[in-house]
Amino acid sequence: MREAALRVTRPRLAVLAAVHDHPHADTETVIAAARSHLPDVSHQAVYDSLHTLTQSGLVRSIKPAGSVARYETRTGDNHHHVVCRSCGSIADVDCAVGHVPCLTASNSHGFVIDEAEVIYWGLCPECSVRT
């Protein structure tokens, strides 16, 4: 946190540990996990910490369509995600390799593009067995 010019606080430490221990967790899961590290942490302190940690780049927020925000500590590597259409589980997918035309914008509209965000959708192994 100090390298990101943030003051180290107990709520921020608890939230960072919770997100690290529960990748792709929603806010309610982060709150519950943070309380296992710091029982008296408030909802507002967790929300504030998530906001600050996300703004500083220590935490990444992803928002798959139809889902609440999810949080992870894997940042800075431009990885992608696969999301189950049935249960909503999420897993990391390393950046695409080989010929990847969808990662090159057909028209940049003058933007200097430095990142692409891709979400793959499908059924996780557990849900695909049930169908």
Side-chain angles (χ1 to χ4, degrees):
M1 281 189 231
R2 287 188 178 108
E3 288 180 15
L6 292 179
R7 192 167 41 95
V8 178
T9 66
R10 291 178 3 160
R12 288 178 185 168
L13 287 172
V15 169
L16 190 58
V19 174
H20 181 267
D21 294 345
H22 303 277
H24 311 121
D26 61 15
T27 306
E28 292 303 314
T29 303
V30 173
I31 290 169
R35 286 186 172 157
S36 72
H37 297 281
L38 185 62
D40 61 342
V41 69
S42 70
H43 276 72
Q44 191 60 51
V46 172
Y47 282 108
D48 291 346
S49 295
L50 283 170
H51 176 74
T52 299
L53 294 169
T54 301
Q55 290 298 110
S56 71
L58 294 174
V59 168
R60 179 179 178 191
S61 172
I62 60 170
K63 298 175 184 106
S67 175
V68 297
R70 306 295 186 104
Y71 299 93
E72 64 183 349
T73 55
R74 184 176 171 186
T75 62
D77 66 351
N78 196 35
H79 71 280
H80 309 298
H81 297 94
V82 60
V83 180
C84 180
R85 289 186 188 278
S86 181
C87 71
S89 67
I90 300 173
D92 289 336
V93 177
D94 288 333
C95 202
V97 294
H99 182 66
V100 288
C102 65
L103 297 182
T104 303
S106 62
N107 183 343
S108 70
H109 298 279
F111 285 68
V112 177
I113 298 172
D114 61 9
E115 184 176 355
E117 185 172 312
V118 175
I119 297 180
Y120 300 97
W121 293 89
L123 294 176
C124 69
E126 290 81 16
C127 291
S128 62
V129 171
R130 285 185 246 161
T131 58

